[in-house]
Amino acid sequence: MALLRILALLLALTVSELHCLPWFINVSESQGPGTILQSFSFNCTSHMPTLQLVHVQPPTTFFNPPSLTRWQGIYVGTVTLSSSARLDALSVNHYKLQLRFTCGNHVMEGPLSVNVRRDPGHSACAGRFASPAGEIIQVLETVTPGARLYTLLLPGLEVQRAQINIISAQDPPYFPGPFSINGQGWLLVPSQGLKGQAEKVFQLQILVTFGQNRSCLGMLKVKVLPVPSSLISFLKQASNITILEDLPPGGKVVQVRARGFDVRYEILSPVPCPLFSIGRADGVIRTTAPLELAQAPGAAVTRLRVKAHERLRPWASVELELTVNVRSVNRWPPRCLPAMLVTQIPETTPVGTVLNTFTCADPDSPGSILDYQLQFHSPPGSASLCLRDRVLEVNATLDCDARGACFQHAASILVLDGGQPLMTTEVPVLVMVTPVNEFSPACVPHKFRIREDAGPHTLLGSVVGMDKDYPHNNIEYYISGGPTIFSVDRLREVHLLGSLDYELQTLYRLNVLLIDHGQDQDPTHHRSGSCTITIEVEDVNDHAPECQPPFQELTIYALLGHSVEVTKVSCWVPQEPQRLAFSYSIVGGNSQNRFSLQGATLVYNNILLGPLWPEQFYTYELLIRVADAGPSIPHLSTTATVSVHLIPWSASTVATRTHRSTVPSVMTPLLVTDTEAFWQPEPWFVVVLTVTSALFVLALGWLLLRLFQGLVQMHQTPSKPTQALLLNGIQGTEESIQGFMEAPRMEMSQAPSSVDLSLQHFDGRAQDSRESPFSQTTLHLGPLSLLTPSQRLLLPPGIHYLLFP
C-alpha cells in the first residue's frame, strides 16, 4: 500500500495542472483564413504532450489541426481557420470541435463550441473572384451557345437570395453578344456563340448584392481558345452503364479513354458530384459513397458529362455523356408481420371470414410490390382457405361432421419480391378447426313386447339413437321419469329390472333422454333429445281360478228316476275378472257315476233302477276340477270340494183308503247351502285374546272346582226315585231317536203319518243343514252328577242335553 501511494504522488507531480478548455468561442463571419480562434495553456512535465482535433460538427475543412508550442515551461495550443474557411452566419452559425489533449498516459477530451456571428459590413466575395486579377476561365471557340461556362460559388448565395449582375460593358464589335449570369451563379455563353472569337479575353465585372447596403464586386475573365489542329476524341464507349448498389465506395464503375497527348479527365456535371469521381490521368470512374437506393432513391440514375483534354493544351478537349444506372441488389428477403400465424376457428365460421391480413415489406426496395402465394401442406389441395391479395379468408364451409374432416390446415404463404436474385419469405400458417355441437341427438320411437313372467335383467331390445355430429352416435341414454323397473345402459339396451303384472298394468311408456358428449371444443356443451319407447306386456296365465266357497256341504232328497240339480260351482280369477271361460270336470268321489256336470252345474242322476238304488243315508265327497280355458297358456286349475248328503225318497200308496193318492212325479229337492263367515283378526290380537282366555279359563275352572266340591258334600246320597226317573228318561229318549231314524223306511201306505212326523221341521223352505232333525233334538235330564260314567257314554251325539240341578 505504501508503494502505491508513492506512485500516485509521482503521477500528481508529473501532471501538475490541466487548465480547463473553454466551452464557447464567438467569432465574426468576416474572419478569414489563418485567423487564430483560441489559445489554450497546458501544464505537462516529463512528457511530450499532443493536442488533436478529433472531429468537427457539422463536418467542414474550415479549421486547421491545432498547433502546440512550448513557452516558458507551459504548452500553448492554438486553433486557427484554414485557407478554405468561408464563414457565413446565415449558412452555419455554430460549429462543435472535439479536442483531445494527451500528456503521457493521461488523456483529456473536451468540446469547443464556435459561434459564428453576423457581420453586416462583411463582403461575401472572396478568393480569386474578389482579387484584382479575377478568375480566369478558358473555353473553346466551338463551345455551344448558351452553355454554362462557370458557376460562382459564394457562401449563402442561395439562402440570402442574392442578386448577381454583370455591370461591365459588353459592346460590339468586341463582344459577339452579351454574357449572362443567373441567380444561381451560372455564367452562360452568349446566344451567338464564340465562333471566331479565338484568342480574345472578355473581362466581366460582376456585382453581387445581399439585401440592403451589402454587396461585393468580383472579376471574371473568359479566354477563348482556338480549336486545336490535332483532334482529341473518346474511344468507342457505351453510353449506358449498369452497376449494382452493393458496389462499395471506391469501386470501379467504368474507364473512359480518349485519343490525345497527355490527356486529362474531369467531370463537368453534375457539380458537385457526390456519388462518382474520375481519375484525372487514367479516366477511371469510381464510386465515392454507398449506393443504397433505400436511403437515396435518386441514386438510381445519374447522368455524367465527362471532359477529356490535353494537359498542355486545355482548350483541346472533348466531352462524353454517360448514364449510370444503379440496380438494386436483392440482399434481404421480404419481412412480414406476423411472421407466423397460428389461429383457431370453429367449424361454423362463415365463408368470407377474414383470418388475418399480412403486412410485408422489402428492405431492399421499400414500397415495391410483392407477390403472395398460398401453398397447402396438409391436407394437400384444400379449398377451405384462400388468399386474396394479402388477406387470408375462409373459402369454403368447414365441416367436422365426417370422419377425418375436422383437422388442422397447415399451409404457408410464400412472399416473393421482384429483385435479382429472387428472394422469398415463407410465413407458416396453422389453422385449427374446432368442432361445434350443432345437432341434437334423436331416436326413432320403438315398441317392445315382453311377457309378464319375464324375470329381472331381461333384455327387451336396443334404442337406436342418431347424432349427425362427429363422432357419430356418441350418446348417453337415460330414462327421464316414468317407471323405475326399466333401464337403459350405455350399450343402448333396454333391460327389465323388476317384475311385471299384466293385471296391474299392460302398457308402459318410457321417455328416453339422449345426451351427446365429446362433440364440442367446450366439454360442457351438450345437446339432448328424447323419444318415447312403448312397452306392451303380454298376458301370461299366472293366476289359478278360485271358487267360492271352495267347500260345499249339501243335503238332497232324491226320487228314483229323476235328475236333481245339486249346486252351481261359482269360480273366477280375482286378478283377472274379465276371464270368464272355465272348464269343469269331476276328478274324484263320483262313485257309481251318479253325478255329472252341465257347465258349472252339478247334477245328480237318479235314473238307474235295481239294487243300486240306495236305501240309506249316503254322503258323496266330490272333487270338481275347475280349469281356465282360452288361448292363454299354461292352463291353471283349482279343485272345489262338494260334500253331498243323499237322502233317498220312496213313494207308496196308503192301504186304508179306497182312492189312490199320487205323489207328484216331480218334486223340488231341498238345496241347503251353508255359508260360514269367518273373522281373521290381527296376530297381536290373537296373542292377547289367547292369553286373556287362558287366564279366564283357569279362573273359571278354579271357581267351578270349588263349586263342585261344595255340591258333592251336599248330595252325598241321592234318592232312588230320582235315579229311576233319570234312567227312564234316557231309555225313552233312545227309543224316540230310534223311531225317528226308522221313519224314512216306512212304506208308502204309512207316508201320511210318517211325513207328518218327519216334516215337522220341513215346510218346503230352504233351511240350514244345522237345523235338521238330527241336530235339533233336545232332552231334559236331571243333574249330571246322577249319571254314572257308563251312562254318560250311552248318550248319542248330535243331541242337545238340558241339565238341571
Side-chain angles (χ1 to χ4, degrees), residues 52-59 96-100 109 112:
Q52 298 174 340
L53 177 60
V54 179
H55 58 80
V56 180
Q57 290 293 338
K96 183 179 180 181
L97 286 69
Q98 187 72 18
L99 300 177
R100 178 184 298 164
E109 287 191 8
L112 175 62

Side-chain angles (χ1 to χ4, degrees), residues 374-385 404 407-412:
L374 179 62
Q375 297 179 346
F376 286 96
H377 302 303
S378 64
S382 175
S384 301
L385 307 177
F407 37 66
Q408 297 179 350
H409 294 270
S412 61

Side-chain angles (χ1 to χ4, degrees), residues 384 460-461 702 790:
S384 301
L460 279 75
W702 182 79
S790 59

Side-chain angles (χ1 to χ4, degrees), residues 548-581:
Q548 186 65 29
F551 174 80
Q552 299 185 47
E553 183 177 4
L554 305 172
T555 301
I556 64 172
Y557 296 89
L559 296 177
L560 183 63
H562 297 276
S563 297
V564 180
E565 291 184 3
V566 179
T567 186
K568 186 175 183 179
V569 181
S570 177
C571 300
W572 70 93
V573 180
Q575 296 81 0
E576 302 178 57
Q578 74 279 3
R579 185 175 298 177
L580 301 175

Side-chain angles (χ1 to χ4, degrees), residues 15-193:
V15 183
S16 59
E17 182 181 1
L18 294 176
H19 295 280
C20 295
L21 295 176
W23 292 98
F24 297 98
I25 297 175
N26 296 322
V27 60
S28 175
E29 64 178 352
S30 62
Q31 298 296 326
T35 301
I36 298 176
L37 298 178
Q38 187 66 35
S39 297
F40 312 101
S41 60
F42 302 95
N43 290 331
C44 181
T45 59
S46 303
H47 291 91
M48 180 62 67
T50 59
L51 182 61
Q52 298 174 340
L53 177 60
V54 179
H55 58 80
V56 180
Q57 290 293 338
T60 183
T61 59
F62 290 176
F63 301 94
N64 289 321
S67 61
L68 190 63
T69 59
R70 183 181 178 88
W71 182 76
Q72 295 182 356
I74 298 176
Y75 291 92
V76 178
T78 305
V79 178
T80 59
L81 294 177
S82 66
S83 59
S84 62
R86 298 290 188 271
L87 300 180
D88 186 1
L90 295 178
S91 298
V92 179
N93 60 4
H94 179 79
Y95 294 94
K96 183 179 180 181
L97 286 69
Q98 187 72 18
L99 300 177
R100 178 184 298 164
F101 176 77
T102 304
C103 179
N105 294 329
H106 185 77
V107 179
M108 183 182 69
E109 287 191 8
L112 175 62
S113 297
V114 179
N115 295 326
V116 181
R117 293 184 175 181
R118 290 289 307 279
D119 186 0
H122 172 63
S123 175
C125 300
R128 294 182 181 179
F129 172 74
S131 64
E135 184 79 25
I136 299 175
I137 303 170
Q138 294 181 351
V139 60
L140 291 176
E141 61 177 345
T142 57
V143 66
T144 304
R148 184 171 60 179
L149 295 178
Y150 179 77
T151 300
L152 180 60
L153 299 177
L154 295 177
L157 189 63
E158 296 181 359
V159 177
Q160 301 180 37
R161 296 182 180 179
Q163 296 182 359
I164 305 175
N165 297 310
I166 300 176
I167 61 175
S168 60
Q170 301 184 57
D171 298 333
Y174 189 77
F175 281 86
F179 289 85
S180 62
I181 189 169
N182 59 18
Q184 296 178 349
W186 292 359
L187 181 62
L188 305 179
V189 177
S191 59
Q192 294 81 4

